[in-house]
Amino acid sequence: MFKPELLKSLRDYSAKKFAGDFVAGIIVGIVALPLAIAFAVASGVDPAAGLFTAIIAGFLISAFGGSAVQIGGPTGAFTVIIYGIVAQSGLSGLATATVMAGVILILLGAFKMGGLVKFIPYTIVTGFTAGIAVTIAGGQIANFFGLSVGISEAAPLTIMGETYTSVPGDFLPKMIAFGKFFSTIDMYSFVMAAVSLAFLFIWNRFVKKIPGSIIVIIITTVLSVILRNTCSMDIKTIGEIPTSFPKPVVPDFSIKTITSLFPTAVSIAVLAAIESLLSAAVADGMTGGKHDSDTELIGQGIANLVTPFFGGIPATGAIARTATNIKNGGRTPVAGIIHALTLLAIVLFAGKYASLIPMATLAAVLINVAWNMAGFPAIKALLKGQKSDIFVFTVTFLVTVFVDLTVAISIGLGFAAFFFIKKMIDLSEVQSKRESLAGGIFTSPDMPEEKLNIPDGALVYEIDGPLFFGTVRKFEVAVEKAGVDYKVLILRMRNTIYLDAGGIKALEQANAACSRKGITIVISGIHTQPYVLLEKTGMAEKLGKENICADINAALIRAREILK
């Protein structure tokens, strides 16, 4: 059932809890201000879009989500996708894709698919997160160095055979474009950005309570105003921010638009689900609580369904802001609601001052975010692991940066599945455990030595691991070794907990081959799932139910009956 955490939290709410939520909500609201603006700028949309997303989505995620402390809003993970959608389909296309993503998220939660997101391999999450970090940092080169990138319909630029009338959305063409205009560097912007970035690194290392992004933005904004008024120095700022709530706008829901943007909507939904549930899991570890994955997905879906009607962009749970909320005393969704109201108050009463924030400073804030987002300790640990994990990480990372996030996740999942199947095949064995024709000793690495009285004319094979399409060939080779001298082939399946259609087919072929040679197959120690599948497919009847035994001793007794 859909049970928002807010309703549960209000049952035993107290003044003490409100005090903690109130302080945490105000602090997180202040922290979210520069990040919401920065992520909007990095996504190629107006700063106001980021702010109203943080307000509306932040409120709805806290009100309807399944985590007590989750803080929602725009995040860096979406900047790559949003930039590409805006470049190709405009803001209307972005709104349509976001609404569709919201519907998909609600359906995922309604059909209790929240747990499935957790099965996406860690290597893939690390790879695309690092790839997004590189893309965010690379996209800020123009603002960091104050470049005048003169690409327009009047002055198009040809890169790698493609003609662009605006800054390219793809990473490599964008870097080439920035390189062509690097001679237009503005030293004032570069110095401000470089000093801001150095300040952030130093501040964040020694000061944990107060976020450095707020401090550096206040200082550089005041400095830019002074320099503009005293030295007539023109430093580029983020521009005007509306000081009133936007009017609702209906996105384009034509069949053509929905069809063309559906794959992108799926990407947004998957990314929102992964990041929000990852953030909720991290929050659980910090608070000792437990979130409801399905309700959280529904809450995320509601937020992404509503926000685009007010000019917003995709939103999800933000790990950094959620952690800030917890560290400052937030323990219920009320803190997230107060964070949204704090942002709304800032926009309504101090929006004109926010418009003076230098773009160079925002570039420094985003590069600092990208540095923290890249997860260098996790990458370093991963690179010491298995070659298959390194390969999946590298491919996911490179495809995220140079191709597309959607393609990266798909390819990463494909390779991860391939390596997992290969690992299962390597771990599976179908081998003879019979040491002699009679009185053989049966051994297993994790089982005590067994002394079995194997009758003359019987052969025992043990299947270690699942019998599925990947291990069928091993089974077939083992059966082929059962020569005509044997009249009973005992297949010991105590370590086989899974059987699929490929395994059933292999058993059917083995039974047919053995029947031609006058050999009877006896199954020993079969588990529930394989036995149920044998029953459903009729394989149990073909083998003979009397030849399916509970354990090896019963199987040996049956073998003696057959041999008589």
Side-chain angles (χ1 to χ4, degrees):
M1 292 180 63
F2 174 57
K3 296 180 180 178
E5 185 63 35
L6 178 62
L7 298 180
K8 298 178 186 178
S9 300
L10 292 178
R11 291 173 186 170
D12 57 349
Y13 204 63
S14 62
K16 183 179 179 181
K17 287 184 178 180
F18 177 75
D21 288 338
F22 183 77
V23 173
I26 291 177
I27 292 173
V28 176
I30 295 171
V31 170
L33 175 68
L35 295 177
I37 295 172
F39 290 139
V41 171
S43 302
V45 299
D46 291 335
L51 285 172
F52 288 120
T53 300
I55 294 168
I56 301 170
F59 181 92
L60 294 175
I61 288 172
S62 294
F64 297 104
S67 171
V69 292
Q70 181 89 281
I71 300 295
T75 66
F78 286 120
T79 56
V80 181
I81 296 179
I82 296 172
Y83 196 98
I85 299 173
V86 172
Q88 294 180 5
S89 307
L91 294 175
S92 177
L94 173 63
T96 304
T98 307
V99 170
M100 288 194 292
V103 174
I104 293 171
L105 283 166
I106 292 173
L107 292 175
L108 287 174
F111 287 100
K112 300 188 179 299
M113 305 293 282
L116 295 181
V117 178
K118 299 174 184 178
F119 289 104
I120 294 179
Y122 175 72
T123 48
I124 296 176
V125 175
T126 306
F128 77 65
T129 301
I132 291 169
V134 170
T135 308
I136 291 173
Q140 294 308 304
I141 289 177
N143 291 329
F144 192 88
F145 291 96
L147 306 182
S148 298
V149 184
I151 305 176
S152 62
E153 293 185 1
L157 181 67
T158 301
I159 302 172
M160 301 169 64
E162 294 283 339
T163 300
Y164 296 91
T165 56
S166 60
V167 177
D170 295 332
F171 183 79
L172 189 56
K174 184 185 290 185
M175 294 303 101
I176 294 174
F178 289 162
K180 289 181 179 293
F181 290 94
F182 202 76
S183 59
T184 63
I185 182 173
D186 177 48
M187 291 306 299
Y188 296 113
S189 296
F190 170 61
V191 170
M192 179 173 287
V195 171
S196 298
L197 184 60
F199 176 87
L200 286 170
F201 278 125
I202 296 171
W203 181 276
N204 293 338
R205 183 173 181 181
F206 295 102
V207 182
K208 304 298 181 183
K209 286 288 185 181
I210 305 174
S213 56
I214 291 292
I215 304 301
V216 76
I217 281 177
I218 292 174
I219 293 174
T220 55
T221 300
V222 172
L223 182 62
S224 67
V225 171
I226 294 173
L227 292 175
R228 185 181 294 110
N229 293 333
T230 58
C231 307
S232 299
M233 191 179 296
D234 186 20
I235 297 176
K236 187 178 179 182
T237 62
I238 64 173
E240 186 177 353
I241 293 178
T243 55
S244 60
F245 212 71
K247 295 180 180 179
V249 178
V250 179
D252 178 15
F253 291 123
S254 64
I255 298 297
K256 181 180 179 182
T257 303
I258 291 174
T259 303
S260 63
L261 290 174
F262 183 75
T264 305
V266 172
S267 299
I268 294 173
V270 170
L271 189 56
I274 293 171
E275 191 163 4
S276 63
L277 295 184
L278 179 63
S279 175
V282 171
D284 288 347
M286 296 177 69
T287 63
K290 187 177 182 181
H291 73 281
D292 184 328
S293 298
D294 298 316
T295 300
E296 181 63 23
L297 288 181
I298 294 175
Q300 299 286 338
I302 293 172
N304 283 283
L305 183 65
V306 174
T307 305
F309 288 92
F310 297 92
I313 58 179
T316 185
I319 296 176
R321 275 160 276 175
T322 299
T324 302
N325 178 39
I326 295 169
K327 290 177 181 178
N328 286 281
R331 289 297 179 270
T332 77
V334 173
I337 293 173
I338 292 173
H339 132 268
L341 296 177
T342 300
L343 276 171
L344 178 61
I346 293 173
V347 170
L348 295 179
F349 301 109
K352 61 181 180 179
Y353 301 110
S355 65
L356 301 175
I357 298 173
M359 291 294 290
T361 305
L362 278 184
V365 170
L366 280 167
I367 290 174
N368 182 62
V369 168
W371 177 271
N372 295 327
M373 184 180 182
F376 290 108
I379 295 173
K380 186 178 179 181
L382 194 150
L383 293 177
K384 295 179 181 178
Q386 301 180 93
K387 291 181 179 179
S388 58
D389 290 339
I390 297 172
F391 180 84
V392 172
F393 162 77
T394 304
V395 168
T396 306
F397 170 76
L398 293 176
V399 176
T400 299
V401 174
F402 294 104
V403 183
D404 181 71
L405 178 63
T406 311
V407 179
I409 294 176
S410 302
I411 292 178
L413 283 172
F415 277 114
F418 170 78
F419 285 122
F420 176 76
I421 293 170
K422 184 179 182 301
K423 188 69 174 177
M424 289 298 99
I425 294 173
D426 292 340
L427 292 174
S428 300
E429 290 292 342
V430 183
Q431 54 188 325
S432 173
K433 299 293 185 180
R434 190 176 189 280
E435 300 297 332
S436 63
L437 292 178
I441 296 177
F442 218 89
T443 61
S444 178
D446 50 357
M447 296 288 287
E449 184 180 271
E450 294 178 287
K451 292 183 179 181
L452 301 175
N453 184 15
I454 302 174
D456 201 9
L459 181 66
V460 179
Y461 269 85
E462 178 148 9
I463 303 173
D464 289 323
L467 182 57
F468 69 116
F469 67 91
T471 56
V472 163
R473 184 53 191 160
K474 286 186 175 183
F475 175 77
E476 291 172 345
V477 170
V479 172
E480 288 169 4
K481 293 179 180 179
V484 293
D485 293 337
Y486 300 96
K487 296 302 179 182
V488 178
L489 174 62
I490 298 176
L491 297 179
R492 199 174 191 189
M493 300 179 68
R494 59 176 178 170
N495 294 326
T496 304
I497 60 173
Y498 177 76
L499 185 69
D500 74 349
I504 291 290
K505 185 65 176 178
L507 278 173
E508 189 175 4
Q509 291 174 346
N511 187 49
C514 287
S515 295
R516 287 193 296 269
K517 297 177 182 180
I519 300 172
T520 302
I521 293 180
V522 176
I523 303 293
S524 164
I526 192 168
H527 286 267
T528 303
Q529 188 275 339
Y531 181 77
V532 170
L533 193 58
L534 289 181
E535 286 273 14
K536 287 183 177 179
T537 58
M539 194 62 211
E541 292 292 338
K542 293 179 182 179
L543 291 171
K545 291 188 177 181
E546 68 278 6
N547 295 325
I548 301 176
C549 303
D551 54 43
I552 187 63
N553 293 317
L556 290 172
I557 293 172
R558 176 58 185 159
R560 292 188 187 97
E561 292 175 356
I562 295 170
L563 291 170
K564 286 180 182 178

